[in-house]
């Protein structure tokens, strides 16, 4: 994504949403990193690090000698720097994922979670990142495969989010496309799906925070009546406060491992 189009924003609200997302997804992500990443690598890179939750998770799981956190948001770079303040083993860099500085080179592991590679050429982005690996290094990619729920409030929000992302040339569930297009890639080592069930209330809180960052965008407002948008916000609030009355929600995450020969 270009630097001026951070899809879900980098406001304080968006940061709090990523914090909640990070704690919700951390167990499956930690298991993935631990199983597929090298122990105590010389250099690990958290690509699209956001406010630094994944940076800390990567650092604490693999114990690299140096961890580079890369994000193009000035606000998130500052948040990450504050989170790891005083730790000489972590360096935070403001840069676009598709225009990385020379400093990002010969990494033993590059971690990418929910960065949503550019829809026009996701394989091109992956190949760019593979060039930044050391020989034998691995790239660990974790993206959304699917989100399923019969809870009307959550399902209604997801329909609108997919629509908004489509307008911005992005896709919520990019996992299947990555799996298909990387199927014959010579660097591919594995591509698996992990399914888990966060609480409906947690999902509603995340969705509500997301909704607050983009419901007033022109494309959304022009396509939907205010009453409809208000109803979605109200429904998410209801599920967030009374999750026991809601249908469950299931996330499937596509976990992909590539290696540089």
């Amino acid at each position: 994504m270009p630097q001026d189009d951070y899809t879900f924003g980098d406001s304080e609200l968006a940061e709090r949403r990523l914090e909640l997302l990070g704690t919700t997804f951390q167990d499956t992500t930690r298991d993935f990193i631990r199983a597929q990443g090298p122990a105590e690598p010389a250099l690990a890179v958290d690509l699209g690090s956001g406010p630094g939750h994944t940076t800390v998770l990567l650092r604490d799981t693999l114990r690299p000698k140096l961890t580079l956190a890369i994000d193009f948001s000035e606000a998130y770079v500052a948040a990450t720097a504050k989170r790891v303040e005083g730790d000489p083993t972590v360096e935070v860099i403001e840069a676009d994922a598709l225009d990385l500085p020379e400093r990002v080179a010969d990494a033993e592991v590059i971690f990418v979670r929910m960065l949503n590679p550019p829809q026009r050429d996701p394989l091109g982005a992956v190949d760019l990142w593979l060039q930044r690996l050391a020989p034998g290094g691995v790239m660990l990619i974790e993206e959304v495969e699917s989100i399923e729920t019969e809870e009307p409030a959550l399902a209604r929000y997801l329909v609108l989010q997919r629509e908004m992302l489509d307008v911005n040339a992005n896709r919520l569930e990019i996992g299947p496309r990555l799996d298909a297009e990387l199927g014959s890639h010579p660097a591919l080592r594995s591509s698996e799906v992990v399914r888990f069930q966060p609480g409906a209330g947690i999902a509603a809180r995340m969705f509500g925070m997301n909704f607050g960052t983009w419901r007033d965008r022109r494309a959304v407002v022009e396509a939907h009546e205010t009453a409809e948008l208000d109803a979605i916000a109200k429904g998410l609030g209801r599920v967030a406060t009374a999750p026991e009355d809601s249908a469950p929600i299931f996330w499937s995450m596509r976990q992909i491992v590539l290696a540089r020969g």
Side-chain angles (χ1 to χ4, degrees), residues 98-173:
L98 298 181
D99 188 21
L100 294 171
E102 293 183 3
R103 180 83 177 87
V104 185
D106 294 323
E108 290 181 45
V109 58
I110 294 177
F111 176 61
V112 183
R113 184 174 78 175
M114 297 187 192
L115 185 56
N116 207 323
Q119 302 294 301
R120 288 183 296 275
D121 187 18
L123 288 186
V126 168
D127 284 334
L128 279 175
W129 300 334
L130 282 170
Q131 294 173 20
R132 301 305 181 112
L133 286 173
V138 296
M139 182 187 302
L140 310 179
I141 300 175
E142 192 173 37
E143 293 284 353
V144 177
E145 178 81 3
S146 66
I147 305 175
E148 306 165 54
T149 181
E150 295 183 1
E151 169 53 51
L154 302 180
R156 195 175 184 187
Y157 164 83
L158 287 167
V159 169
L160 197 62
Q161 180 173 318
R162 292 183 184 104
E163 177 185 307
M164 184 275 296
L165 287 170
D166 185 62
V167 169
N168 288 323
N170 285 304
R171 184 183 301 178
L172 176 60
E173 292 109 335

Side-chain angles (χ1 to χ4, degrees), residues 12-23:
E12 182 181 347
L13 176 63
E15 183 178 335
R16 286 193 285 112
R17 174 256 176 188
L18 285 177
E19 181 73 23
L20 179 58
L21 183 149
T23 56

